[in-house]
Amino acid sequence: MEGGASSGGRFKLHDQLELQEFQEMFVIKPVESPDLGFSIDRRDGNCRPLDGDTLSDSPSKVSTIYGVAGTIRLLSGTYVLVITSRKEVGTFLGSPVFRVISMRFLPCNIEALKFSTTQEKRDEAYFRTLLKTVESTPGLYYSYEMDITLNLQRRYKLAEGWMNKPLWKQADPRFVWNRNLLEDLIESKLDGFIIPLFQGSFQAIQLKLNSALATVTLISRRCTRRLGTRMWRRGANLEGDTANFIETEQLLEVDGFRFSLLQVRGSIPLLWEQIVDLSYKPRLRIIEHEQTSNIVERHFRDLLQRYGETVAVDLTNKQGDEGQLSAAYAAEMQKLQVVRYVSFDFHHYCGNSNFDNLNVLYEQISEDFEKQGFFLVDAEGNILEEQKGVIRVNCIDCLDRTNVTQTFLAQKSMSVQLQRIGLLASTECISMFAEEYGKFRRLWAEQGDEISLGYAGTHALKGDLVRYGKQTVVGLIKDGMSAISRYYLNNFHDGVRQDALDLISGHYTVSRNNPSPFQLNGFEAVSYLPVASALIIGGLTLTSFTLHQAGRNAQQYMSSVLWAGVTAGVMAMVKANGRQFCSRPRLCGLL
């Protein structure tokens, strides 16, 4: 185990590192084992194990870091991503789990910019802006002792000796957020330093139920195959990977028993888009493609292989653009006999805070849901129950309505789990314990907020339905503020955020041989929108002023008409070219 430490037969990463900065290299050493470590050449970005090397000069700066998340090569050289602060948020099967609080990219070989063209210097400046966006990525989690990308049931099915492998080899590559950044570290065989990060949510609480103390851990793992922002990554790609696909695992540990319930969410697996154009609700467009049926089949075949029997619950509206998309989804699902499709118009049944109307949905899927069951092991590690399938839930964003529905199903399952080991009577359910049930709902609401921050950039809407089972005035105000924030981010920021995600995930590869993706073609939102906004505001102000003066001087009427015309013209131009004024991704296409 190169650079690794053993803990109870398991592979363990170095958890506290010293970063030494020299003129020609960065040196990274474990605090507990200073003889180990590796260097990163600041001239070419290459990683090399130290192998007992001694350095003659002293470092210009020494600091503590908590992990190396990987490296990325841009036009001018390599950048190393390090974890500069962390917070312990709970445990997974007894091993501490940490959330990344802050990260920093260390630049290597920036001298190469001297020999770059003007366009390359511009491009590198934009790429570095994208790296700044990556540094503030929310919801990244990891453990030094345990791979946390694998759900409990899959972990128990692994071959003997699997847990002795380096953590990056144990991990499910679908959920390793920094998988593309690890290549140099893997190639240099630095296993003891390679940290698999997942993006999503990790929340834990303790509940007291009939004198028993239970720990509930909620883990949501975001898939990286179609990683993106709310409006720029919709639907599926040609391989059947969907936007905002998340595996959510609810772990219940009580009296030596461990339960696991899996649910998944993901965008409607058709080819469709919703391009921002300054309107509050951009039009949905279904992309006609000869491969559509194959895409749907590929998506669900993957789910069937991984999770077993799948029930697809569609929560979209049945009117308007959503209705057309839902109808197209239903038509494709009719061709797919191996998956049960259930359509439930959430807004129709639950639109007026009628949270209890989810029982209408539950009546339709309860037989399947109960047959799928859950995973259960006893204190000795004996498997008593296995989960035989999964409920796949979607709305349009797979955020707000989906959170409410998954919370409802999780609560139903937990009651059955506690009944299974005799902690609850057959007539009891968790909702009868008001205080503990309140904690449970807040747990789900907080993970919903964190998932939404990763995809939409704001907290989830309908959080009150999850927390309290009803909509409150304060909740309505929060939802309104979040909706306004989503509008702003979708239109004026998410193009840059999408580029950052495409860069860091490897969907776009930087190369000097490629043409610059940032050369201007037509409107550029950053340049033109402030000018247009200033013209509109100035025009409205001058129109108002000249109208006010018109009573004193008749010539002012002509000025008022002129300025009103100019303002109306600018507004019409902005409206007609709404898409061009929005922040758009420049690195990758929609699919």
Side-chain angles (χ1 to χ4, degrees), residues 37-196:
F38 64 101
S39 65
I40 303 166
D41 196 306
R42 296 182 76 165
R43 293 162 299 184
D44 57 20
N46 289 335
C47 301
R48 298 179 185 86
L50 286 181
D51 293 331
D53 296 347
T54 56
L55 301 169
S56 56
D57 55 341
S58 299
S60 59
K61 183 179 178 183
V62 177
S63 55
T64 299
I65 60 173
Y66 301 96
V68 180
T71 65
I72 187 168
R73 293 182 185 272
L74 301 183
L75 292 171
S76 70
T78 298
Y79 294 77
V80 185
L81 182 59
V82 297
I83 299 169
T84 51
S85 62
R86 68 187 184 188
K87 179 182 179 182
E88 187 172 341
V89 291
T91 61
F92 180 75
L93 308 184
S95 296
V97 174
F98 298 87
R99 183 173 72 237
V100 174
I101 301 300
S102 63
M103 300 185 290
R104 181 164 68 99
F105 275 100
L106 308 174
C108 300
N109 201 24
I110 55 175
E111 294 294 316
L113 273 178
K114 292 178 180 178
F115 310 103
S116 301
T117 66
T118 302
Q119 186 60 53
E120 285 174 340
K121 288 177 181 177
R122 287 178 185 163
D123 290 355
E124 187 76 2
Y126 186 81
F127 286 134
R128 292 180 75 168
T129 300
L130 299 184
L131 296 187
K132 284 291 181 187
T133 301
V134 171
E135 287 177 347
S136 58
T137 300
L140 294 177
Y141 295 88
Y142 68 97
S143 172
Y144 298 103
E145 301 176 11
M146 178 80 66
D147 169 50
I148 54 177
T149 66
L150 295 177
N151 61 65
L152 193 65
Q153 179 160 319
R154 189 171 173 199
R155 176 175 295 278
Y156 270 83
K157 297 284 187 171
L158 292 172
E160 190 175 346
W162 185 269
M163 300 308 162
N164 296 327
K165 292 185 175 187
L167 291 194
W168 71 268
K169 288 186 177 180
Q170 296 179 34
D172 186 335
R174 293 181 302 159
F175 302 128
V176 180
W177 174 84
N178 57 328
R179 181 66 183 82
N180 180 60
L181 304 180
L182 299 177
E183 295 297 337
D184 284 352
L185 300 179
I186 291 170
E187 193 173 318
S188 301
K189 297 183 170 57
L190 297 167
D191 291 340
F193 299 90
I194 301 174
I195 296 179

Side-chain angles (χ1 to χ4, degrees), residues 313 315 342 344 357-366 405:
V313 175
L315 303 175
V342 177
F344 180 78
N357 283 350
L358 278 171
N359 282 302
V360 176
L361 169 63
Y362 191 70
E363 287 172 8
Q364 296 180 58
I365 64 171
S366 59
T405 304

Side-chain angles (χ1 to χ4, degrees), residues 124-392:
E124 187 76 2
Y126 186 81
F127 286 134
R128 292 180 75 168
T129 300
L130 299 184
L131 296 187
K132 284 291 181 187
T133 301
V134 171
E135 287 177 347
S136 58
T137 300
L140 294 177
Y141 295 88
Y142 68 97
S143 172
Y144 298 103
E145 301 176 11
M146 178 80 66
D147 169 50
I148 54 177
T149 66
L150 295 177
N151 61 65
L152 193 65
Q153 179 160 319
R154 189 171 173 199
R155 176 175 295 278
Y156 270 83
K157 297 284 187 171
L158 292 172
E160 190 175 346
W162 185 269
M163 300 308 162
N164 296 327
K165 292 185 175 187
L167 291 194
W168 71 268
K169 288 186 177 180
Q170 296 179 34
D172 186 335
R174 293 181 302 159
F175 302 128
V176 180
W177 174 84
N178 57 328
R179 181 66 183 82
N180 180 60
L181 304 180
L182 299 177
E183 295 297 337
D184 284 352
L185 300 179
I186 291 170
E187 193 173 318
S188 301
K189 297 183 170 57
L190 297 167
D191 291 340
F193 299 90
I194 301 174
I195 296 179
L197 303 174
F198 82 78
Q199 188 188 27
S201 180
F202 186 100
Q203 310 280 339
I205 55 167
Q206 286 199 321
L207 303 178
K208 194 170 183 181
L209 301 163
N210 285 344
S211 76
L213 198 62
T215 299
V216 182
T217 307
L218 200 55
I219 310 169
S220 288
R221 307 171 176 103
R222 185 186 302 278
C223 181
T224 61
R225 289 178 175 175
R226 190 156 168 74
L227 197 62
T229 57
R230 177 172 169 246
M231 289 300 190
W232 293 112
R233 285 296 175 267
R234 293 297 214 184
N237 60 19
L238 296 175
E239 287 73 43
D241 306 313
T242 60
N244 206 27
F245 183 88
I246 293 171
E247 175 191 274
T248 296
E249 180 175 24
Q250 179 177 277
L251 287 173
L252 170 63
E253 298 175 82
V254 58
D255 285 356
F257 294 98
R258 282 177 174 154
F259 296 87
S260 166
L261 173 73
L262 293 177
Q263 300 184 72
V264 297
R265 69 177 77 193
S267 192
I268 290 176
L270 305 179
L271 302 180
W272 60 280
E273 63 182 16
Q274 192 175 14
I275 306 299
V276 291
D277 59 3
L278 298 182
S279 62
Y280 179 72
K281 196 171 183 180
R283 296 296 304 271
L284 297 175
R285 186 177 80 87
I286 302 170
I287 301 170
E288 301 294 338
H289 199 286
E290 60 183 10
Q291 286 289 314
T292 294
S293 295
N294 292 334
I295 290 165
V296 176
E297 184 182 355
R298 284 176 199 134
H299 176 74
F300 281 102
R301 191 192 310 128
D302 184 59
L303 294 188
L304 289 165
Q305 289 173 349
R306 294 180 185 280
Y307 301 105
E309 176 191 312
T310 303
V311 177
V313 175
D314 178 16
L315 303 175
T316 52
N317 298 341
K318 299 302 168 272
Q319 293 81 36
D321 287 355
E322 271 195 37
Q324 291 179 23
L325 182 60
S326 181
Y329 183 25
E332 290 297 335
M333 294 304 288
Q334 282 185 342
K335 305 173 189 175
L336 202 64
Q337 298 300 318
V338 292
V339 176
R340 186 181 171 210
Y341 170 79
V342 177
S343 180
F344 180 78
D345 189 333
F346 185 97
H347 284 151
H348 173 72
Y349 285 99
C350 307
N352 294 319
S353 302
N354 297 318
F355 187 56
D356 290 340
N357 283 350
L358 278 171
N359 282 302
V360 176
L361 169 63
Y362 191 70
E363 287 172 8
Q364 296 180 58
I365 64 171
S366 59
E367 186 176 340
D368 289 309
F369 185 56
E370 289 161 14
K371 188 169 70 173
Q372 288 176 359
F374 45 79
F375 184 71
L376 168 61
V377 292
D378 63 16
E380 286 74 42
N382 300 310
I383 298 174
L384 306 181
E385 304 272 359
E386 291 187 31
Q387 186 169 340
K388 304 174 186 68
V390 73
I391 304 292
R392 181 201 191 276

Side-chain angles (χ1 to χ4, degrees), residues 362-549:
Y362 191 70
E363 287 172 8
Q364 296 180 58
I365 64 171
S366 59
E367 186 176 340
D368 289 309
F369 185 56
E370 289 161 14
K371 188 169 70 173
Q372 288 176 359
F374 45 79
F375 184 71
L376 168 61
V377 292
D378 63 16
E380 286 74 42
N382 300 310
I383 298 174
L384 306 181
E385 304 272 359
E386 291 187 31
Q387 186 169 340
K388 304 174 186 68
V390 73
I391 304 292
R392 181 201 191 276
V393 182
N394 74 267
C395 43
I396 283 296
D397 300 330
C398 304
L399 293 176
D400 313 317
R401 289 169 273 182
T402 298
N403 289 334
V404 175
T405 304
Q406 288 195 337
T407 306
F408 181 85
L409 295 176
Q411 165 245 317
K412 288 281 189 183
S413 181
M414 182 175 284
S415 295
V416 175
Q417 292 168 17
L418 293 168
Q419 291 167 6
R420 168 70 172 76
I421 57 172
L423 270 179
L424 292 185
S426 59
T427 55
E428 291 181 308
C429 60
I430 187 176
S431 59
M432 294 177 177
F433 300 83
E435 186 175 342
E436 306 307 296
Y437 186 42
K439 292 180 188 176
F440 173 81
R441 290 195 299 202
R442 285 193 294 276
L443 176 81
W444 271 88
E446 284 162 11
Q447 77 94 35
D449 281 341
E450 198 161 19
I451 286 173
S452 183
L453 281 168
Y455 188 51
T458 72
H459 288 172
L461 309 183
K462 297 182 174 64
D464 276 6
L465 284 180
V466 177
R467 284 181 175 86
Y468 314 116
K470 62 182 181 180
Q471 190 79 66
T472 66
V473 173
V474 173
L476 280 170
I477 294 170
K478 285 183 178 177
D479 283 357
M481 295 300 292
S482 290
I484 292 169
S485 296
R486 281 187 185 180
Y487 172 83
Y488 172 78
L489 292 171
N490 294 163
N491 282 278
F492 306 121
H493 183 67
D494 278 357
V496 173
R497 201 157 65 101
Q498 184 63 56
D499 279 342
L501 291 170
D502 287 332
L503 179 66
I504 211 70
S505 62
H507 292 138
Y508 178 85
T509 303
V510 176
S511 171
R512 287 182 180 271
N513 298 324
N514 294 336
S516 168
F518 307 122
Q519 287 175 321
L520 298 182
N521 294 308
F523 288 112
E524 170 56 32
V526 174
S527 303
Y528 287 87
L529 188 65
V531 176
S533 301
L535 283 172
I536 290 171
I537 293 169
L540 289 172
T541 302
L542 286 168
T543 301
S544 175
F545 177 76
T546 51
L547 274 174
H548 181 71
Q549 297 292 321

